[in-house]
Amino acid sequence: MPFAGRIPRRIMQLSALLAMFAAFTAQLVSALLAWLPMFVVASAAGLALDLYLQHRQPLLLSMLNKVRFDVTVRQLLRDMLIVVGLLRIDDVHPLREQAPLTSALLCVYGLHFACQAVAVLVRRTRTLPLVTRNIDASALRPSAAPPRILARRPGHRLLTFSVPATTGLLVTAVTGDVYAGAVGVGVSIVLMAVGTARLATWLLPKKRPANNEQALEWLDGWLAEYRPTVAMYFSGGTTSAYQANMWLSTLSALDGKPLIVLRERFMVQKIQATDVPIICIPKVAHMFALEDSTLRMMLHPANSGKTSQVLRIPSIKHAFTNHGESDKLSSCNPYAKAYDEVWVAGPAARERYQLAEIGVADKDVVEVGRPQLAPIQPWTGAPEGTYTTVLYAPTWEGWDGNPGNTSVVLAGENLVRALLDDDGVRLLYKPHPMTGSVDPEAGAADRRIRAMIAEAAAGRSGPRPDLGAVAELARRTAELDRLTSSDFRTGADELERMMRQGTPEEDRAAVVAAATEAWEAAYWASFPEWEHQIVVTARPGIYSCFNQADLLISDVSSVVSDYLHSEKPYAVANTSGMPEEEFRAAFPTVRAAAVLTPDASGIPELLESVRAPEKDPYKQARAELKEHLLGPSDPPSLVRFNAAALALCAKADDRRDHMTRRLLPGIPGQRRTGFEAETETEAEAESIG
């Protein structure tokens, strides 16, 4: 079925390309044979189809760009064929009438290329060496972006502004009246000239933003004024933003002045709602502005190729927090030894690094817990309602091709089928967002699982929440969308977004948190207790699903460790091929779990133990494993995390003081960092006082 569903779309795309080539062929043949009806229809149809595809199927046209048949070549060919067609008309004199039309048409293209040159200059002036959010950047003179059709869509501009010229020339071909062609081409010339002139106004001083040098000077000044102490550094792809977003609440709760440092421009808008200032610095040369700031330490929720660049700043201490902990080898990446400290949840991760022997010294491992797990509600015993809610949250297939990474391929359909066979189960399915990104089989299995759940949900019936619950969800959704998204117009660019996303409203993060909690309550209340759900959107989050579940079924992943915070029953699918005893010994997170085989034969007994807690053999083991994996509950994780941050900041201060004493005395003209100058200023103030 999934494959069959893709066939019509591919046929449609192929048909569109064939139709375009057919239009060019018909236009050429009819121009040479002076067959006027076909000539007019083919010329008009080709332009209309090109315009449609530019707006609706731009990726399809990118295939033509790869073979150098881009929009400029296509439109030029289309217009030149019209000129050839006019040569076949006796009423149009080649020298007296057609030559001026052809010259005017070439003028349209000349203005198009001139407009494109201005567009390149405008884009360059509006591309600063940094991007900000939650920061007042008015000193950089940001302004609204020029119309997108002028600045960033040359194909749309050429086709749209050429419509009058093509229309006029076709009217001339039909009537023999050269005046119609002259008017059409004249209108296109005016559109191109006016558009170019308007676009050029963004190069005037009034609309021109700060240049690169001024922007970097502003960055130094802002850092000196804000005086950040701890930052979260993140670099990654379009689907990896969740790794940073899970640390936002923790970062904002730390003592000091937090900061988020990004490297990819697109990532600025991927970060969820937060009050923490965000700065994106794409080029490594500009990163060293942080060296002269008061920044003492950086948190790293993920490894990336660009991480090594910021590790070269000696005045900043670096702590690797990871974006989750599991028993997988990826949780003990040898890259971790590049950091000053590795922060883990509890003793289990410390042991994991010792056993891995990858060069991470035990003294550099700091247990801080998992502060973002606070919203997860504790276990209260057997399910209270009619239905047992089971959350199946498999992880993705990973990069190494290990069949034990995810249960989706080998066990997913069996597990889901067994759960759906129990009339007392309500199933929540939340796959990893990267499922199928490496292994097509995982993606295909995921689609089959979704189809199974959708079919089972359609086969159930019962009382549903009233319209008031649905209306409440709509109201809460609108409120949360208003708080968490910026209403940018379609043509907004980075500078316009920087202007719109200046200093956030006071306590905005707390307001967003309250709105999110209210939305989650409204979301779950809008569904009947018996209805299966497929949750593949960003909202609700995995922790909200945890709170709905009576049982989790997952793989060896950080999802299991996080869920254990609730001490609710959970099961892990064993698709590794190892015997159960070996599987439990290899992965500590499985020690308090029921282990399921790929055939899902243990599902009935598992559900029975959830519904009758006295039959649950792992209750005490879960409590013990929770402390082993996540650390003690007292003091709270956030307190331990904050203490670790303060301690690492103190180490950074000690190093700076040591370097100041060692290098500065007796060396005339020795350059001092901004932090050292600030320290001296404070010392002078104390002595005066």
Side-chain angles (χ1 to χ4, degrees), residues 287-288 290-292 295-297 308-318 340 648 651-656 659 662-663 671 673 676:
M287 284 292 301
F288 286 87
L290 300 174
E291 183 177 9
D292 293 339
L295 191 61
R296 293 163 169 83
M297 65 163 291
S308 61
Q309 297 171 352
V310 75
L311 292 178
R312 288 186 283 176
I313 301 179
S315 58
I316 299 176
K317 292 291 185 179
H318 301 269
D340 295 289
L648 192 54
K651 290 182 179 179
D653 289 341
D654 290 342
R655 184 192 180 282
R656 294 192 188 202
M659 296 302 295
R662 187 167 68 89
L663 297 178
R671 179 179 179 273
T673 66
E676 292 157 354

PDB file of all heavy atoms in Angstrom, residues 287-288 290-292 295-297 308-318 340 648 651-656 659 662-663 671 673 676:
ATOM      1  N   MET A 287      33.750  32.868  16.268  1.00  0.00           N
ATOM      2  CA  MET A 287      33.457  32.222  17.550  1.00  0.00           C
ATOM      3  C   MET A 287      34.362  32.742  18.657  1.00  0.00           C
ATOM      4  O   MET A 287      33.989  32.733  19.836  1.00  0.00           O
ATOM      5  CB  MET A 287      33.627  30.709  17.421  1.00  0.00           C
ATOM      6  CG  MET A 287      32.512  29.995  16.690  1.00  0.00           C
ATOM      7  SD  MET A 287      30.957  29.991  17.597  1.00  0.00           S
ATOM      8  CE  MET A 287      31.471  29.162  19.084  1.00  0.00           C
ATOM      9  N   PHE A 288      35.538  33.196  18.292  1.00  0.00           N
ATOM     10  CA  PHE A 288      36.501  33.563  19.315  1.00  0.00           C
ATOM     11  C   PHE A 288      36.166  34.890  19.978  1.00  0.00           C
ATOM     12  O   PHE A 288      36.889  35.344  20.858  1.00  0.00           O
ATOM     13  CB  PHE A 288      37.911  33.572  18.731  1.00  0.00           C
ATOM     14  CG  PHE A 288      38.433  32.177  18.512  1.00  0.00           C
ATOM     15  CD1 PHE A 288      38.177  31.507  17.332  1.00  0.00           C
ATOM     16  CD2 PHE A 288      39.137  31.523  19.510  1.00  0.00           C
ATOM     17  CE1 PHE A 288      38.631  30.215  17.143  1.00  0.00           C
ATOM     18  CE2 PHE A 288      39.591  30.233  19.322  1.00  0.00           C
ATOM     19  CZ  PHE A 288      39.340  29.569  18.138  1.00  0.00           C
ATOM     20  N   LEU A 290      33.805  34.946  21.870  1.00  0.00           N
ATOM     21  CA  LEU A 290      33.421  34.424  23.189  1.00  0.00           C
ATOM     22  C   LEU A 290      34.615  34.330  24.131  1.00  0.00           C
ATOM     23  O   LEU A 290      34.447  34.320  25.357  1.00  0.00           O
ATOM     24  CB  LEU A 290      32.779  33.042  23.027  1.00  0.00           C
ATOM     25  CG  LEU A 290      31.518  32.986  22.153  1.00  0.00           C
ATOM     26  CD1 LEU A 290      31.081  31.546  21.954  1.00  0.00           C
ATOM     27  CD2 LEU A 290      30.402  33.805  22.770  1.00  0.00           C
ATOM     28  N   GLU A 291      35.811  34.252  23.574  1.00  0.00           N
ATOM     29  CA  GLU A 291      36.997  34.113  24.415  1.00  0.00           C
ATOM     30  C   GLU A 291      37.204  35.339  25.297  1.00  0.00           C
ATOM     31  O   GLU A 291      37.672  35.229  26.436  1.00  0.00           O
ATOM     32  CB  GLU A 291      38.234  33.884  23.542  1.00  0.00           C
ATOM     33  CG  GLU A 291      39.517  33.660  24.342  1.00  0.00           C
ATOM     34  CD  GLU A 291      40.701  33.373  23.453  1.00  0.00           C
ATOM     35  OE1 GLU A 291      40.560  33.508  22.218  1.00  0.00           O
ATOM     36  OE2 GLU A 291      41.752  32.994  23.985  1.00  0.00           O
ATOM     37  N   ASP A 292      36.862  36.513  24.793  1.00  0.00           N
ATOM     38  CA  ASP A 292      37.059  37.745  25.545  1.00  0.00           C
ATOM     39  C   ASP A 292      35.855  38.110  26.398  1.00  0.00           C
ATOM     40  O   ASP A 292      35.814  39.183  26.986  1.00  0.00           O
ATOM     41  CB  ASP A 292      37.353  38.896  24.579  1.00  0.00           C
ATOM     42  CG  ASP A 292      38.693  38.720  23.879  1.00  0.00           C
ATOM     43  OD1 ASP A 292      39.535  37.979  24.411  1.00  0.00           O
ATOM     44  OD2 ASP A 292      38.884  39.309  22.799  1.00  0.00           O
ATOM     45  N   LEU A 295      31.962  34.568  29.649  1.00  0.00           N
ATOM     46  CA  LEU A 295      31.453  33.201  29.584  1.00  0.00           C
ATOM     47  C   LEU A 295      32.454  32.244  30.213  1.00  0.00           C
ATOM     48  O   LEU A 295      33.626  32.206  29.826  1.00  0.00           O
ATOM     49  CB  LEU A 295      31.203  32.817  28.125  1.00  0.00           C
ATOM     50  CG  LEU A 295      30.423  31.529  27.869  1.00  0.00           C
ATOM     51  CD1 LEU A 295      29.035  31.606  28.481  1.00  0.00           C
ATOM     52  CD2 LEU A 295      30.330  31.259  26.378  1.00  0.00           C
ATOM     53  N   ARG A 296      31.994  31.452  31.170  1.00  0.00           N
ATOM     54  CA  ARG A 296      32.884  30.567  31.918  1.00  0.00           C
ATOM     55  C   ARG A 296      32.781  29.111  31.482  1.00  0.00           C
ATOM     56  O   ARG A 296      33.754  28.372  31.576  1.00  0.00           O
ATOM     57  CB  ARG A 296      32.582  30.680  33.410  1.00  0.00           C
ATOM     58  CG  ARG A 296      32.927  32.045  34.005  1.00  0.00           C
ATOM     59  CD  ARG A 296      32.225  32.217  35.352  1.00  0.00           C
ATOM     60  NE  ARG A 296      32.715  33.368  36.078  1.00  0.00           N
ATOM     61  CZ  ARG A 296      32.315  34.611  35.896  1.00  0.00           C
ATOM     62  NH1 ARG A 296      31.413  34.870  34.963  1.00  0.00           N
ATOM     63  NH2 ARG A 296      32.797  35.598  36.626  1.00  0.00           N
ATOM     64  N   MET A 297      31.585  28.681  31.071  1.00  0.00           N
ATOM     65  CA  MET A 297      31.430  27.268  30.731  1.00  0.00           C
ATOM     66  C   MET A 297      30.363  27.089  29.663  1.00  0.00           C
ATOM     67  O   MET A 297      29.505  27.942  29.466  1.00  0.00           O
ATOM     68  CB  MET A 297      31.065  26.441  31.963  1.00  0.00           C
ATOM     69  CG  MET A 297      29.709  26.785  32.556  1.00  0.00           C
ATOM     70  SD  MET A 297      29.090  25.511  33.674  1.00  0.00           S
ATOM     71  CE  MET A 297      28.761  24.183  32.522  1.00  0.00           C
ATOM     72  N   SER A 308      34.429  20.600  17.885  1.00  0.00           N
ATOM     73  CA  SER A 308      35.867  20.734  18.103  1.00  0.00           C
ATOM     74  C   SER A 308      36.335  22.171  17.943  1.00  0.00           C
ATOM     75  O   SER A 308      37.345  22.576  18.515  1.00  0.00           O
ATOM     76  CB  SER A 308      36.634  19.834  17.127  1.00  0.00           C
ATOM     77  OG  SER A 308      36.370  20.216  15.782  1.00  0.00           O
ATOM     78  N   GLN A 309      35.592  22.962  17.167  1.00  0.00           N
ATOM     79  CA  GLN A 309      36.000  24.341  16.933  1.00  0.00           C
ATOM     80  C   GLN A 309      35.873  25.186  18.200  1.00  0.00           C
ATOM     81  O   GLN A 309      36.752  25.989  18.517  1.00  0.00           O
ATOM     82  CB  GLN A 309      35.153  24.936  15.804  1.00  0.00           C
ATOM     83  CG  GLN A 309      35.351  24.215  14.470  1.00  0.00           C
ATOM     84  CD  GLN A 309      34.364  24.655  13.411  1.00  0.00           C
ATOM     85  OE1 GLN A 309      33.421  25.396  13.686  1.00  0.00           O
ATOM     86  NE2 GLN A 309      34.578  24.196  12.181  1.00  0.00           N
ATOM     87  N   VAL A 310      34.787  24.996  18.935  1.00  0.00           N
ATOM     88  CA  VAL A 310      34.605  25.795  20.144  1.00  0.00           C
ATOM     89  C   VAL A 310      35.444  25.254  21.300  1.00  0.00           C
ATOM     90  O   VAL A 310      35.782  25.984  22.237  1.00  0.00           O
ATOM     91  CB  VAL A 310      33.110  25.852  20.521  1.00  0.00           C
ATOM     92  CG1 VAL A 310      32.638  24.537  21.123  1.00  0.00           C
ATOM     93  CG2 VAL A 310      32.846  26.997  21.487  1.00  0.00           C
ATOM     94  N   LEU A 311      35.815  23.986  21.242  1.00  0.00           N
ATOM     95  CA  LEU A 311      36.658  23.424  22.298  1.00  0.00           C
ATOM     96  C   LEU A 311      38.050  24.042  22.303  1.00  0.00           C
ATOM     97  O   LEU A 311      38.796  23.889  23.275  1.00  0.00           O
ATOM     98  CB  LEU A 311      36.773  21.904  22.122  1.00  0.00           C
ATOM     99  CG  LEU A 311      35.498  21.083  22.363  1.00  0.00           C
ATOM    100  CD1 LEU A 311      35.761  19.603  22.111  1.00  0.00           C
ATOM    101  CD2 LEU A 311      34.969  21.293  23.769  1.00  0.00           C
ATOM    102  N   ARG A 312      38.392  24.742  21.247  1.00  0.00           N
ATOM    103  CA  ARG A 312      39.712  25.369  21.168  1.00  0.00           C
ATOM    104  C   ARG A 312      39.799  26.668  21.969  1.00  0.00           C
ATOM    105  O   ARG A 312      40.871  27.258  22.061  1.00  0.00           O
ATOM    106  CB  ARG A 312      40.068  25.643  19.705  1.00  0.00           C
ATOM    107  CG  ARG A 312      40.399  24.385  18.924  1.00  0.00           C
ATOM    108  CD  ARG A 312      40.887  24.721  17.528  1.00  0.00           C
ATOM    109  NE  ARG A 312      39.797  25.082  16.632  1.00  0.00           N
ATOM    110  CZ  ARG A 312      39.983  25.492  15.381  1.00  0.00           C
ATOM    111  NH1 ARG A 312      41.202  25.617  14.887  1.00  0.00           N
ATOM    112  NH2 ARG A 312      38.953  25.788  14.610  1.00  0.00           N
ATOM    113  N   ILE A 313      38.681  27.122  22.520  1.00  0.00           N
ATOM    114  CA  ILE A 313      38.708  28.340  23.333  1.00  0.00           C
ATOM    115  C   ILE A 313      39.140  27.952  24.736  1.00  0.00           C
ATOM    116  O   ILE A 313      38.373  27.333  25.486  1.00  0.00           O
ATOM    117  CB  ILE A 313      37.330  29.020  23.352  1.00  0.00           C
ATOM    118  CG1 ILE A 313      36.904  29.374  21.928  1.00  0.00           C
ATOM    119  CG2 ILE A 313      37.356  30.267  24.219  1.00  0.00           C
ATOM    120  CD1 ILE A 313      35.539  30.025  21.829  1.00  0.00           C
ATOM    121  N   PRO A 314      40.344  28.289  25.161  1.00  0.00           N
ATOM    122  CA  PRO A 314      40.869  27.778  26.432  1.00  0.00           C
ATOM    123  C   PRO A 314      40.251  28.417  27.669  1.00  0.00           C
ATOM    124  O   PRO A 314      40.322  27.844  28.759  1.00  0.00           O
ATOM    125  CB  PRO A 314      42.365  28.118  26.344  1.00  0.00           C
ATOM    126  CG  PRO A 314      42.423  29.314  25.447  1.00  0.00           C
ATOM    127  CD  PRO A 314      41.314  29.129  24.445  1.00  0.00           C
ATOM    128  N   SER A 315      39.647  29.586  27.517  1.00  0.00           N
ATOM    129  CA  SER A 315      39.113  30.282  28.690  1.00  0.00           C
ATOM    130  C   SER A 315      37.763  29.747  29.131  1.00  0.00           C
ATOM    131  O   SER A 315      37.233  30.165  30.157  1.00  0.00           O
ATOM    132  CB  SER A 315      38.993  31.780  28.386  1.00  0.00           C
ATOM    133  OG  SER A 315      38.157  31.997  27.258  1.00  0.00           O
ATOM    134  N   ILE A 316      37.177  28.835  28.360  1.00  0.00           N
ATOM    135  CA  ILE A 316      35.856  28.294  28.661  1.00  0.00           C
ATOM    136  C   ILE A 316      35.977  26.818  29.007  1.00  0.00           C
ATOM    137  O   ILE A 316      36.664  26.065  28.318  1.00  0.00           O
ATOM    138  CB  ILE A 316      34.911  28.476  27.456  1.00  0.00           C
ATOM    139  CG1 ILE A 316      34.750  29.962  27.127  1.00  0.00           C
ATOM    140  CG2 ILE A 316      33.552  27.857  27.730  1.00  0.00           C
ATOM    141  CD1 ILE A 316      33.919  30.219  25.889  1.00  0.00           C
ATOM    142  N   LYS A 317      35.305  26.404  30.073  1.00  0.00           N
ATOM    143  CA  LYS A 317      35.225  24.994  30.432  1.00  0.00           C
ATOM    144  C   LYS A 317      34.018  24.367  29.733  1.00  0.00           C
ATOM    145  O   LYS A 317      32.994  25.022  29.517  1.00  0.00           O
ATOM    146  CB  LYS A 317      35.083  24.836  31.948  1.00  0.00           C
ATOM    147  CG  LYS A 317      36.328  25.245  32.726  1.00  0.00           C
ATOM    148  CD  LYS A 317      37.471  24.284  32.492  1.00  0.00           C
ATOM    149  CE  LYS A 317      38.680  24.626  33.352  1.00  0.00           C
ATOM    150  NZ  LYS A 317      39.804  23.689  33.149  1.00  0.00           N
ATOM    151  N   HIS A 318      34.150  23.090  29.409  1.00  0.00           N
ATOM    152  CA  HIS A 318      33.118  22.418  28.615  1.00  0.00           C
ATOM    153  C   HIS A 318      32.645  21.143  29.319  1.00  0.00           C
ATOM    154  O   HIS A 318      33.466  20.340  29.781  1.00  0.00           O
ATOM    155  CB  HIS A 318      33.661  22.063  27.233  1.00  0.00           C
ATOM    156  CG  HIS A 318      34.139  23.260  26.462  1.00  0.00           C
ATOM    157  ND1 HIS A 318      33.326  23.968  25.623  1.00  0.00           N
ATOM    158  CD2 HIS A 318      35.354  23.878  26.432  1.00  0.00           C
ATOM    159  CE1 HIS A 318      34.009  24.970  25.095  1.00  0.00           C
ATOM    160  NE2 HIS A 318      35.247  24.936  25.562  1.00  0.00           N
ATOM    161  N   ASP A 340      35.983  18.880  29.306  1.00  0.00           N
ATOM    162  CA  ASP A 340      36.575  18.978  30.643  1.00  0.00           C
ATOM    163  C   ASP A 340      35.876  18.045  31.616  1.00  0.00           C
ATOM    164  O   ASP A 340      36.521  17.450  32.484  1.00  0.00           O
ATOM    165  CB  ASP A 340      36.474  20.424  31.152  1.00  0.00           C
ATOM    166  CG  ASP A 340      37.298  21.379  30.309  1.00  0.00           C
ATOM    167  OD1 ASP A 340      38.535  21.310  30.399  1.00  0.00           O
ATOM    168  OD2 ASP A 340      36.708  22.178  29.557  1.00  0.00           O
ATOM    169  N   LEU A 648      32.047  24.084  38.001  1.00  0.00           N
ATOM    170  CA  LEU A 648      32.831  24.165  36.766  1.00  0.00           C
ATOM    171  C   LEU A 648      33.151  25.621  36.427  1.00  0.00           C
ATOM    172  O   LEU A 648      34.244  25.920  35.927  1.00  0.00           O
ATOM    173  CB  LEU A 648      32.076  23.499  35.620  1.00  0.00           C
ATOM    174  CG  LEU A 648      32.887  23.254  34.340  1.00  0.00           C
ATOM    175  CD1 LEU A 648      34.159  22.462  34.637  1.00  0.00           C
ATOM    176  CD2 LEU A 648      32.050  22.538  33.290  1.00  0.00           C
ATOM    177  N   LYS A 651      36.103  26.529  38.408  1.00  0.00           N
ATOM    178  CA  LYS A 651      37.343  26.024  37.808  1.00  0.00           C
ATOM    179  C   LYS A 651      37.802  26.937  36.668  1.00  0.00           C
ATOM    180  O   LYS A 651      39.007  27.170  36.501  1.00  0.00           O
ATOM    181  CB  LYS A 651      37.123  24.602  37.284  1.00  0.00           C
ATOM    182  CG  LYS A 651      36.942  23.553  38.372  1.00  0.00           C
ATOM    183  CD  LYS A 651      36.781  22.166  37.759  1.00  0.00           C
ATOM    184  CE  LYS A 651      36.615  21.114  38.846  1.00  0.00           C
ATOM    185  NZ  LYS A 651      36.440  19.744  38.280  1.00  0.00           N
ATOM    186  N   ALA A 652      36.847  27.437  35.891  1.00  0.00           N
ATOM    187  CA  ALA A 652      37.205  28.364  34.821  1.00  0.00           C
ATOM    188  C   ALA A 652      37.797  29.647  35.395  1.00  0.00           C
ATOM    189  O   ALA A 652      38.778  30.186  34.863  1.00  0.00           O
ATOM    190  CB  ALA A 652      35.977  28.674  33.973  1.00  0.00           C
ATOM    191  N   ASP A 653      37.208  30.131  36.495  1.00  0.00           N
ATOM    192  CA  ASP A 653      37.742  31.339  37.140  1.00  0.00           C
ATOM    193  C   ASP A 653      39.158  31.103  37.645  1.00  0.00           C
ATOM    194  O   ASP A 653      40.042  31.962  37.500  1.00  0.00           O
ATOM    195  CB  ASP A 653      36.843  31.759  38.301  1.00  0.00           C
ATOM    196  CG  ASP A 653      35.514  32.312  37.818  1.00  0.00           C
ATOM    197  OD1 ASP A 653      35.436  32.691  36.633  1.00  0.00           O
ATOM    198  OD2 ASP A 653      34.564  32.361  38.624  1.00  0.00           O
ATOM    199  N   ASP A 654      39.368  29.931  38.247  1.00  0.00           N
ATOM    200  CA  ASP A 654      40.705  29.618  38.775  1.00  0.00           C
ATOM    201  C   ASP A 654      41.725  29.597  37.640  1.00  0.00           C
ATOM    202  O   ASP A 654      42.850  30.096  37.799  1.00  0.00           O
ATOM    203  CB  ASP A 654      40.681  28.261  39.488  1.00  0.00           C
ATOM    204  CG  ASP A 654      39.892  28.315  40.785  1.00  0.00           C
ATOM    205  OD1 ASP A 654      39.658  29.426  41.289  1.00  0.00           O
ATOM    206  OD2 ASP A 654      39.506  27.236  41.281  1.00  0.00           O
ATOM    207  N   ARG A 655      41.361  29.012  36.520  1.00  0.00           N
ATOM    208  CA  ARG A 655      42.301  28.965  35.405  1.00  0.00           C
ATOM    209  C   ARG A 655      42.608  30.362  34.884  1.00  0.00           C
ATOM    210  O   ARG A 655      43.756  30.704  34.598  1.00  0.00           O
ATOM    211  CB  ARG A 655      41.736  28.099  34.273  1.00  0.00           C
ATOM    212  CG  ARG A 655      42.732  27.933  33.126  1.00  0.00           C
ATOM    213  CD  ARG A 655      42.112  27.343  31.884  1.00  0.00           C
ATOM    214  NE  ARG A 655      43.115  27.201  30.831  1.00  0.00           N
ATOM    215  CZ  ARG A 655      43.557  28.208  30.075  1.00  0.00           C
ATOM    216  NH1 ARG A 655      43.074  29.435  30.273  1.00  0.00           N
ATOM    217  NH2 ARG A 655      44.489  28.009  29.152  1.00  0.00           N
ATOM    218  N   ARG A 656      41.595  31.192  34.766  1.00  0.00           N
ATOM    219  CA  ARG A 656      41.817  32.551  34.283  1.00  0.00           C
ATOM    220  C   ARG A 656      42.698  33.339  35.247  1.00  0.00           C
ATOM    221  O   ARG A 656      43.587  34.081  34.818  1.00  0.00           O
ATOM    222  CB  ARG A 656      40.473  33.253  34.086  1.00  0.00           C
ATOM    223  CG  ARG A 656      39.612  32.642  32.987  1.00  0.00           C
ATOM    224  CD  ARG A 656      38.450  33.555  32.659  1.00  0.00           C
ATOM    225  NE  ARG A 656      37.515  32.888  31.732  1.00  0.00           N
ATOM    226  CZ  ARG A 656      36.663  33.532  30.952  1.00  0.00           C
ATOM    227  NH1 ARG A 656      36.639  34.851  30.958  1.00  0.00           N
ATOM    228  NH2 ARG A 656      35.841  32.886  30.160  1.00  0.00           N
ATOM    229  N   MET A 659      46.235  32.125  34.805  1.00  0.00           N
ATOM    230  CA  MET A 659      46.842  32.627  33.581  1.00  0.00           C
ATOM    231  C   MET A 659      47.140  34.119  33.683  1.00  0.00           C
ATOM    232  O   MET A 659      48.147  34.613  33.164  1.00  0.00           O
ATOM    233  CB  MET A 659      45.918  32.360  32.387  1.00  0.00           C
ATOM    234  CG  MET A 659      45.697  30.879  32.099  1.00  0.00           C
ATOM    235  SD  MET A 659      47.245  29.988  31.773  1.00  0.00           S
ATOM    236  CE  MET A 659      47.771  30.768  30.251  1.00  0.00           C
ATOM    237  N   ARG A 662      50.249  34.492  35.774  1.00  0.00           N
ATOM    238  CA  ARG A 662      51.440  33.942  35.140  1.00  0.00           C
ATOM    239  C   ARG A 662      51.915  34.773  33.948  1.00  0.00           C
ATOM    240  O   ARG A 662      53.113  34.891  33.708  1.00  0.00           O
ATOM    241  CB  ARG A 662      51.164  32.506  34.678  1.00  0.00           C
ATOM    242  CG  ARG A 662      52.402  31.784  34.145  1.00  0.00           C
ATOM    243  CD  ARG A 662      52.138  30.308  34.003  1.00  0.00           C
ATOM    244  NE  ARG A 662      51.187  30.031  32.950  1.00  0.00           N
ATOM    245  CZ  ARG A 662      51.527  29.820  31.665  1.00  0.00           C
ATOM    246  NH1 ARG A 662      52.800  29.897  31.314  1.00  0.00           N
ATOM    247  NH2 ARG A 662      50.627  29.562  30.762  1.00  0.00           N
ATOM    248  N   LEU A 663      50.955  35.355  33.212  1.00  0.00           N
ATOM    249  CA  LEU A 663      51.318  36.004  31.961  1.00  0.00           C
ATOM    250  C   LEU A 663      51.388  37.520  32.029  1.00  0.00           C
ATOM    251  O   LEU A 663      52.221  38.131  31.357  1.00  0.00           O
ATOM    252  CB  LEU A 663      50.314  35.612  30.864  1.00  0.00           C
ATOM    253  CG  LEU A 663      50.268  34.134  30.495  1.00  0.00           C
ATOM    254  CD1 LEU A 663      49.193  33.895  29.445  1.00  0.00           C
ATOM    255  CD2 LEU A 663      51.623  33.673  29.954  1.00  0.00           C
ATOM    256  N   ARG A 671      48.165  41.609  26.059  1.00  0.00           N
ATOM    257  CA  ARG A 671      46.726  41.710  25.823  1.00  0.00           C
ATOM    258  C   ARG A 671      45.964  41.028  26.946  1.00  0.00           C
ATOM    259  O   ARG A 671      46.280  39.918  27.351  1.00  0.00           O
ATOM    260  CB  ARG A 671      46.386  41.023  24.488  1.00  0.00           C
ATOM    261  CG  ARG A 671      44.917  41.021  24.122  1.00  0.00           C
ATOM    262  CD  ARG A 671      44.771  40.338  22.769  1.00  0.00           C
ATOM    263  NE  ARG A 671      43.380  40.260  22.350  1.00  0.00           N
ATOM    264  CZ  ARG A 671      42.575  39.271  22.690  1.00  0.00           C
ATOM    265  NH1 ARG A 671      43.017  38.305  23.455  1.00  0.00           N
ATOM    266  NH2 ARG A 671      41.323  39.248  22.264  1.00  0.00           N
ATOM    267  N   THR A 673      42.149  39.777  28.410  1.00  0.00           N
ATOM    268  CA  THR A 673      40.809  39.433  27.947  1.00  0.00           C
ATOM    269  C   THR A 673      39.788  40.310  28.639  1.00  0.00           C
ATOM    270  O   THR A 673      40.058  40.967  29.647  1.00  0.00           O
ATOM    271  CB  THR A 673      40.481  37.961  28.273  1.00  0.00           C
ATOM    272  OG1 THR A 673      40.405  37.815  29.692  1.00  0.00           O
ATOM    273  CG2 THR A 673      41.541  37.042  27.707  1.00  0.00           C
ATOM    274  N   GLU A 676      39.345  39.429  32.241  1.00  0.00           N
ATOM    275  CA  GLU A 676      40.408  39.897  33.132  1.00  0.00           C
ATOM    276  C   GLU A 676      40.265  41.382  33.399  1.00  0.00           C
ATOM    277  O   GLU A 676      40.462  41.851  34.528  1.00  0.00           O
ATOM    278  CB  GLU A 676      41.765  39.580  32.497  1.00  0.00           C
ATOM    279  CG  GLU A 676      42.059  38.080  32.443  1.00  0.00           C
ATOM    280  CD  GLU A 676      43.067  37.738  31.367  1.00  0.00           C
ATOM    281  OE1 GLU A 676      43.440  38.644  30.596  1.00  0.00           O
ATOM    282  OE2 GLU A 676      43.467  36.563  31.287  1.00  0.00           O
TER     283      GLU A 676
END
